[in-house]
Amino acid sequence: MPHAVTIATPGLQALILCGPGSSFPTFTANPDENPKALLPIANRPMVWYPLDFCYRAGITNITLICPPTAQQAIQTALNTNPFLTSLPYPRPDLLAPKDLDQNTGTAEILRLPQVQETVTSDFLVLPCDLVCELGADKLLQAWMVKSASLTDLLDDTRSENVPPKRSGGLGVWYQTKTATPIKGEETDFLATVPLPSSSVSPPRGSLFPNISKVVYSTPTDSLKDLLEEEKGFPIRHALLKQHPRVRMLTTHRDAHIYIFPHWIMDFVRENERLETIGEDVLGWWAKAGWQKGLSKKLGLDAILGQSSTAVSNTDGKTSPVGSHSPKDSTVKHPTGSQIHDAISASGTTNLEGPVRPVIRTGDKPGHEETESANEKQNDSTIPPMLAYIHPSSSTDSTSTPLIRRVDTAQLLLQISLQLAKLPSIEEVGSAEAASPFAHTRKVAYPEGVKPRTTITKQDSLVADNVTVQEKTSIKECVIGANCQIGEGAKLSQCLLMDGVVVGKNCKLTKCILGKRSEMGEGCTLTECEVQENLLVEAKTETKNEKFMSSSGLEATEEDLAEDDDDEENDGNGNDEDGEDEEDDESAEE
Amino acid sequence: MAIETTGAPAGAPAGAPAPQEKGKQQAKPAVANTPATTGGDAAGEQKLTPAQLKAKAKAEKAARRAKAKEVKEVPPAAAVADAKGGKSGKGGKQEGSQSAGSQQQGKSMPGRRPSVNGRRPSVAIIKEDPRSSIPECFSHVPMAKRIQTSQAHKDVHPAVLAVGQQMATFALKDSIARLEATLLAFKKVIESYETPKGNSLSRHFVPHVLNPQIEYLTECRPMSFSMGNAIRFLKSQVNKFDIDTPEDEAKESLLEFIDIFINERITLAEVVISKNAAELIDEDGVVLTYGRHRLVEKTILRAKANGKSFAVSVIDDPYDQGGKELAKTLQQAGIRVFYSPNLGGLRAHLERASNVLLGTEAIFANGSLHAPAGTADVAMAASAANVKVVALCETINFDRERVSVDSLTYNEIDPERCSAESFRLMFDNTHSKYIAGVITEFESGTDFAPAQAILTLLRKREDPTIA
């Protein structure tokens, strides 16, 4: 039974952005009917993970933001999906601003009037495809201690704090190069500098040793464009003068977990050129920390000057950023070529990190002293954006908690299988000791499993109401609710979404089967993706193929609405699908 | 499984039933387990290889043993909790004072926290407790428990949560900084407080709203003496309200009380103390200090601003390199600084010193100083070398009741440096005979009170406020 959250709420609200999932072409061909947020990861809808992430830390003021076209599908899921309904109270709000479509940039979302109204305090921004085992409470602790300002939190308006110190933000980056690398995973370029050393040693178990200050952030794609255009990586003098030790990371990825102070809403509102959070908001904010005069141009000085409570000036001036594009402002630094060497040496084609260019600006140490004094002043005006760089889990995947964005089909398969390996609550003995992502049981409905079958329980998950016929073998698989596995089927490293029917003697390896798809008898598929509601012809043998219908309109409203009459609907839908399927194949041949 | 109660007694009675419930919870899956596993495995079992079967049998046996062990452990833990629940109910009157807190902690066995109200931390709570390695005879010495925000009581205010985390991680370290942040956070608590229907602020606010905050802060890190004092004042202020006082009026008056308190006891105290102490610094003298303390820093900077020329010897605390920051700040202000990273250079530095200024965490009723570990060494060496030792302290840091002649009665274990072999105490005790004088915000001119006269001083101060 769902219960109310019984832990302290940290006073932040969370925004979960439910995007279109353009990188799942097979499964989100129709993002309004089948939003990415509802794709199952280890049998739970994707959006359950960020929601659970919030509830675990006591954050109960949660707003899901989705395009109006996808609102109904998500609302239905929130009301009916057993995992979503068993989350604690209070329930998340679903906000579907009318100007939001599937292609709106993340910063543009923050600028929408409804969202501006919704956000009234410091806030978290999460993607819907986040699987984060690390507790948000630890991130919040890091933010509260390293980035938040007590002046802001306590409304300390006494005169001694002039200029008032404002809260900063915190983001999370993780290493993509793990023991099992995934092809085509996006990366982001990040440059950080160490925090000013503190006399206090960081407490054990805290994230402090891995926290640094962001000075440059951009997606790898944008970086590549820049490298191409400039034939090098231009770096400003100001950055190197203020921060002699810059660390550049090229294989990490922005987890899109941001803890932001409330003034970011003003910052985004005032600068209409900001399109995305990861590239623009973070990028410009980080630069404003060291680039002279930039904070004024971005209107940051004015925003930070005003007190946290007084929010006025709604139709304020548009920022001059427009006339001031990043390229114009960048001065090519002589040592820039060195850095370029460092980067191109490790490969612009194959970016490897961490890249640590050795830069000598020729400053005398004494000079540095005064510079760092300047920097101190600068720091006090622009609050820091900090990065928690999640240590790589390549050595031992069990010891470091999992942080991953699941935004490709391959990631979906891999993360699902990885989560399936977690011991269930039943095996561990108590819900408190088990991982937050553990299921109650590995096989939710043992009665549906006929004797003489093999299910490797340590690495498989079989959801509710699944029937498994005799002589089947299920190894390292995640099987969604209401699936039917025919006699003699052999499944290995597969992900089956809800209601999949696998015919007799099918052999499936590393396949992802969309919901209510059907495999004909005797199929042999390897590394295939099958779209929802499709029928794969009996005896199909193929490898590395994506089965999609050409029309992309399989999941009609009727299908979703009349879930109960599974039989009839499925029958009809699948017939059509089958035809489509044939068309596809003949076209290919 | 044992319970560690906290300073505030509210937690103890609540903690008593928890272990029993827990035992039940753990027993339940054990019962439910058996049919489930046999049912679920029926299908799988037949295809298991003999090796797998053996491994499985082994695992099951281990699980059975673990369960048996748990069952055995539950009753004594419950008994301990019961005894304590009764005890702390009696001691409830003196809550807020640290002695109650540390006594209770002394009684309880080291162990993990009970999960009251089914709190579910995101990390597995079976983390080994660093305390468990500390010998029983030191169990009375508290240590920062550093609880996560997800383990806090649900009524803890967000501002208090943040302040607690800063204290737990020692970002807010010295007694006055902690006191100030606590009071400001309590202001936020009061501002957001609404008396429920049928209650009065004077009856409802402290037990239901303020105490959970205090309990959480104590679990982050044991309270400082100043916080204990201030909270006592605040509570007595609440108790003074008539039961019919309108809520707005009471809130207004509490907020004003806190503002005045911060202004008088912290802001003005700092100004007065630094002004008086600055006059003690001799022209062309050398001031020696230990570690970094706000009052000492302010004093030296003020003396410099007054146009005096002098040098400063900074002896640093080797475990907390705060003196380095102090040395940097002073150097930037144009003061000549000698720096020693540890106590090694103490004797040499004392030879040229004309004065020793010490910051303190608290002062006991017998006049001894409670200050960062190492202070006592400096004070003793200085008095042996006939160098005048002056301690700077706000009166809010004075303890009116407790006396201490050693460093083990009231202290705190450094949570970062504690192992089975050794642990570090964060404070030490400096006997008043090594101190030439104490400067508080009540003294004027260069004539300062001897440490022994502190009780008199306190009575002069506190008689009007405490009825």
Side-chain angles (χ1 to χ4, degrees):
Chain A
M1 269 310 281
H3 50 84
V5 167
T6 54
I7 56 181
T9 167
L12 286 90
Q13 58 186 118
L15 302 179
I16 298 176
L17 309 181
C18 299
S22 47
S23 47
F24 287 103
T26 324
F27 303 106
T28 54
N30 185 356
D32 295 343
E33 307 288 350
N34 293 316
K36 174 170 98 162
L38 301 180
L39 283 181
I41 305 177
N43 289 340
R44 290 184 174 113
M46 198 176 264
V47 73
W48 181 88
Y49 291 87
L51 284 171
D52 171 69
F53 175 77
C54 295
Y55 285 119
R56 267 188 287 148
I59 298 170
T60 51
N61 184 350
I62 305 171
T63 310
L64 296 168
I65 299 178
C66 71
T69 46
Q71 184 180 14
Q72 203 194 346
I74 294 180
Q75 190 62 57
T76 310
L78 283 176
N79 293 339
T80 57
N81 184 290
F83 290 105
L84 295 178
T85 49
S86 62
L87 284 167
Y89 288 113
R91 286 284 153 73
D93 298 325
L94 184 63
L95 184 70
K98 67 176 187 323
D99 297 329
L100 177 62
D101 59 39
Q102 300 281 17
N103 301 314
T104 312
T106 44
E108 289 169 322
I109 294 177
L110 294 188
R111 207 176 300 126
L112 294 170
Q114 282 112 314
V115 181
Q116 287 269 342
E117 261 170 47
T118 307
V119 177
T120 53
S121 63
D122 298 339
F123 60 105
L124 262 98
V125 182
L126 302 168
C128 66
D129 56 8
L130 172 77
V131 175
C132 183
E133 204 173 0
L134 181 78
D137 48 349
K138 289 210 162 189
L139 290 170
L140 286 174
Q141 182 197 45
W143 177 75
M144 283 170 176
V145 175
K146 291 287 178 189
S147 194
S149 105
L150 283 183
T151 325
D152 258 6
L153 292 175
L154 303 178
D155 270 346
D156 184 5
T157 46
R158 288 168 308 144
S159 54
E160 11 177 326
N161 300 301
V162 174
K165 192 171 169 280
R166 302 297 301 269
S167 289
L170 179 84
V172 178
W173 279 258
Y174 61 86
Q175 172 67 277
T176 54
K177 288 249 154 79
T178 50
T180 46
I182 292 154
K183 261 186 283 169
E185 190 172 4
E186 266 182 62
T187 54
D188 296 287
F189 175 73
L190 176 74
T192 62
V193 294
L195 292 180
S197 67
S198 125
S199 63
V200 185
S201 55
R204 260 171 276 179
S206 75
L207 307 177
F208 298 172
N210 296 315
I211 296 226
S212 47
K213 186 181 158 188
V214 180
V215 290
Y216 201 102
S217 154
T218 185
T220 302
D221 290 342
S222 309
L223 177 74
K224 279 182 182 161
D225 292 346
L226 184 67
L227 289 179
E228 197 122 304
E229 208 169 292
E230 301 278 330
K231 305 275 180 282
F233 181 52
I235 290 185
R236 282 185 155 246
H237 283 275
L239 172 64
L240 299 170
K241 268 188 189 162
Q242 287 187 26
H243 305 289
R245 286 175 62 202
V246 182
R247 186 171 180 230
M248 301 193 182
L249 305 168
T250 54
T251 59
H252 283 67
R253 170 127 204 240
D254 185 351
H256 210 285
I257 304 172
Y258 305 118
I259 305 177
F260 279 149
H262 185 245
W263 60 260
I264 283 292
M265 292 309 276
D266 302 335
F267 177 51
V268 172
R269 194 186 57 222
E270 298 293 321
N271 294 286
E272 287 184 3
R273 280 297 174 117
L274 303 175
E275 280 179 18
T276 62
I277 295 176
E279 181 171 6
D280 301 331
V281 176
L282 248 56
W284 286 103
W285 179 6
K287 271 187 201 164
W290 48 266
Q291 192 174 322
K292 242 185 215 158
L294 184 58
S295 64
K296 202 172 171 193
K297 280 180 191 156
L298 293 169
L300 269 177
D301 289 353
I303 292 165
L304 295 171
Q306 73 192 36
S307 90
S308 54
T309 43
V311 181
S312 55
N313 189 17
T314 32
D315 65 334
K317 69 265 162 188
T318 30
S319 92
V321 187
S323 64
H324 176 84
S325 83
K327 274 161 246 143
D328 301 335
S329 67
T330 323
V331 177
K332 208 159 186 181
H333 190 276
T335 56
S337 58
Q338 269 183 31
I339 295 165
H340 176 225
D341 287 347
I343 286 186
S344 60
S346 62
T348 31
T349 46
N350 177 24
L351 289 167
E352 271 171 17
V355 183
R356 286 181 218 228
V358 184
I359 301 156
R360 293 276 172 269
T361 49
D363 288 335
K364 290 191 180 79
H367 190 60
E368 251 171 51
E369 193 71 27
T370 52
E371 287 295 344
S372 68
N374 285 345
E375 181 197 330
K376 237 177 213 168
Q377 283 179 352
N378 207 349
D379 273 351
S380 63
T381 50
I382 302 296
M385 174 67 204
L386 303 184
Y388 165 63
I389 297 172
H390 192 56
S392 165
S393 55
S394 57
T395 45
D396 182 9
S397 60
T398 51
S399 62
T400 41
L402 175 71
I403 301 183
R404 210 76 176 184
R405 287 194 65 186
V406 182
D407 57 0
T408 65
Q410 279 313 304
L411 276 166
L412 184 70
L413 176 62
Q414 207 209 357
I415 298 299
S416 290
L417 294 182
Q418 198 174 331
L419 293 177
K421 290 190 182 116
L422 293 171
S424 64
I425 294 172
E426 179 187 81
E427 284 162 335
V428 175
S430 84
E432 282 176 2
S435 156
F437 301 147
H439 283 257
T440 331
R441 292 193 211 171
K442 283 299 181 79
V443 179
Y445 180 62
E447 291 79 359
V449 180
K450 288 269 166 64
R452 297 214 287 156
T453 55
T454 309
I455 298 178
T456 54
K457 275 200 180 174
Q458 67 272 21
D459 52 18
S460 293
L461 259 183
V462 180
D464 228 346
N465 208 14
V466 172
T467 55
V468 180
Q469 300 301 326
E470 287 190 7
K471 293 181 205 157
T472 51
S473 147
I474 296 174
K475 288 181 178 160
E476 230 189 313
C477 285
V478 174
I479 297 181
N482 305 323
C483 284
Q484 299 168 25
I485 314 291
E487 198 176 307
K490 298 213 172 352
L491 304 161
S492 144
Q493 300 192 328
C494 286
L495 168 61
L496 277 62
M497 298 184 192
D498 294 354
V500 175
V501 179
V502 177
K504 282 182 188 172
N505 300 320
C506 280
K507 267 192 188 164
L508 306 175
T509 315
K510 296 187 184 169
C511 290
I512 309 172
L513 311 183
K515 62 179 173 181
R516 277 170 285 165
S517 59
E518 191 172 338
M519 307 297 111
E521 288 182 14
C523 284
T524 307
L525 302 180
T526 310
E527 295 176 30
C528 289
E529 294 174 22
V530 180
Q531 198 174 33
E532 63 268 13
N533 296 334
L534 272 189
L535 173 82
V536 176
E537 284 277 283
K539 312 275 187 211
T540 312
E541 288 193 25
T542 185
K543 203 180 164 184
N544 208 354
E545 197 171 322
K546 291 184 173 66
F547 292 89
M548 289 171 75
S549 80
S550 42
S551 64
L553 287 169
E554 276 63 44
T556 56
E557 293 235 59
E558 276 182 350
D559 269 330
L560 287 171
E562 297 170 26
D563 247 359
D564 311 302
D565 315 328
D566 259 348
E567 298 264 47
E568 205 185 313
N569 252 326
D570 274 358
N572 295 339
N574 285 333
D575 280 346
E576 279 172 36
D577 299 340
E579 281 162 28
D580 286 336
E581 189 50 46
E582 278 166 17
D583 290 346
D584 272 358
E585 286 200 337
S586 58
E588 273 161 29
E589 281 157 13
Chain B
M1 203 172 79
I3 318 292
E4 209 162 352
T5 35
T6 51
Q20 285 157 344
E21 267 171 32
K22 215 158 174 209
K24 259 186 241 159
Q25 274 170 11
Q26 275 164 348
K28 241 184 242 160
V31 178
N33 246 350
T34 359
T37 34
T38 45
D41 286 350
E45 223 152 49
Q46 292 169 5
K47 288 202 176 171
L48 288 177
T49 64
Q52 277 172 318
L53 276 173
K54 206 170 163 187
K56 214 175 127 198
K58 224 177 184 176
E60 272 170 7
K61 198 171 171 190
R64 268 203 305 276
R65 256 195 225 136
K67 261 168 222 152
K69 225 174 167 183
E70 266 167 19
V71 172
K72 246 187 240 166
E73 273 172 16
V74 169
V80 168
D82 266 339
K84 232 174 355 159
K87 165 114 220 246
S88 65
K90 247 185 271 164
K93 293 260 151 54
Q94 32 166 313
E95 71 209 31
S97 83
Q98 223 182 16
S99 72
S102 52
Q103 269 165 23
Q104 282 176 7
Q105 272 167 358
K107 297 262 161 52
S108 67
M109 282 177 350
R112 65 178 209 221
R113 322 181 44 250
S115 69
V116 184
N117 305 338
R119 295 172 204 166
R120 189 179 162 191
S122 62
V123 240
I125 46 164
I126 312 158
K127 251 184 339 192
E128 26 69 80
D129 185 349
R131 271 210 84 103
S132 56
S133 57
I134 292 171
E136 185 67 38
C137 56
F138 297 116
S139 58
H140 68 285
V141 186
M143 181 165 82
K145 266 190 283 188
R146 304 187 147 166
I147 67 163
Q148 297 278 320
T149 51
S150 56
Q151 290 162 289
H153 188 276
K154 71 174 164 54
D155 292 334
V156 177
H157 191 277
V160 179
L161 273 183
V163 168
Q165 289 304 310
Q166 295 217 351
M167 286 187 198
T169 53
F170 290 67
L172 280 175
K173 201 162 184 218
D174 72 290
S175 124
I176 293 294
R178 291 169 65 197
L179 169 67
E180 192 175 357
T182 307
L183 288 175
L184 288 171
F186 283 175
K187 265 182 77 178
K188 296 284 268 185
V189 175
I190 294 168
E191 275 165 18
S192 64
Y193 173 76
E194 276 172 35
T195 318
K197 272 235 159 67
N199 272 301
S200 155
L201 183 140
S202 63
R203 299 288 188 274
H204 180 265
F205 179 68
V206 169
H208 293 97
V209 179
L210 197 59
N211 281 345
Q213 323 288 336
I214 296 168
E215 184 190 343
Y216 164 74
L217 289 178
T218 318
E219 288 190 47
C220 286
R221 193 184 159 186
M223 273 200 285
S224 70
F225 288 60
S226 56
M227 285 162 68
N229 285 337
I231 287 168
R232 201 172 56 233
F233 286 133
L234 185 64
K235 284 184 174 174
S236 74
Q237 195 67 22
V238 177
N239 287 337
K240 271 185 210 159
F241 290 128
D242 190 82
I243 196 158
D244 299 324
T245 314
E247 186 189 312
D248 292 345
E249 195 182 301
K251 277 166 76 173
E252 198 66 24
S253 131
L254 279 180
L255 293 176
E256 199 187 318
F257 171 78
I258 292 180
D259 277 337
I260 293 173
F261 196 91
I262 292 179
N263 198 28
E264 267 183 20
R265 312 295 296 257
I266 299 175
T267 317
L268 285 179
E270 185 183 285
V271 172
V272 174
I273 292 172
S274 63
K275 182 164 165 275
N276 291 345
E279 284 167 22
L280 289 180
I281 294 178
D282 304 328
E283 184 75 26
D284 294 324
V286 177
V287 179
L288 186 139
T289 186
Y290 179 71
R292 181 188 199 180
H293 193 273
R294 211 159 62 135
L295 285 178
V296 175
E297 187 175 332
K298 287 265 149 72
T299 302
I300 293 172
L301 289 174
R302 177 177 278 260
K304 178 72 189 170
N306 289 351
K308 280 188 183 168
S309 95
F310 55 95
V312 177
S313 274
V314 179
I315 309 288
D316 210 348
D317 182 343
Y319 293 99
D320 167 22
Q321 300 278 315
K324 214 185 249 171
E325 302 295 316
L326 175 66
K328 273 184 195 162
T329 320
L330 296 184
Q331 197 158 31
Q332 268 166 16
I335 300 170
R336 192 162 172 225
V337 180
F338 304 99
Y339 175 78
S340 167
N342 52 41
L343 291 171
L346 181 57
R347 194 170 292 251
H349 281 279
L350 272 174
E351 271 169 19
R352 62 170 166 256
S354 49
N355 228 339
V356 176
L357 287 183
L358 292 177
T360 61
E361 189 78 3
I363 295 186
F364 286 104
N366 62 341
S368 55
L369 305 186
H370 183 68
T375 308
D377 303 59
V378 175
M380 278 188 251
S383 71
N386 269 329
V387 182
K388 196 164 67 180
V389 181
V390 176
L392 311 181
C393 192
E394 292 96 343
T395 50
I396 190 68
N397 286 318
F398 283 28
D399 193 289
R400 310 177 325 130
E401 287 153 4
R402 283 171 284 174
V403 297
S404 170
V405 289
D406 58 50
S407 298
L408 267 174
T409 318
Y410 304 105
N411 215 317
E412 200 181 327
I413 294 172
D414 186 344
E416 284 312 301
R417 294 180 186 82
C418 88
S419 64
E421 291 82 41
S422 59
F423 60 83
R424 187 179 92 92
L425 293 173
M426 300 190 58
F427 303 105
D428 66 11
N429 190 290
T430 310
H431 196 274
S432 56
K433 73 182 173 199
Y434 300 114
I435 308 160
V438 178
I439 297 189
T440 71
E441 66 261 35
F442 280 98
E443 285 314 296
S444 54
T446 52
D447 178 32
F448 41 82
Q452 286 85 350
I454 276 151
L455 270 179
T456 343
L457 222 161
L458 270 173
R459 276 195 204 100
K460 184 172 106 189
R461 164 77 198 174
E462 282 169 7
D463 265 352
T465 42
I466 289 215

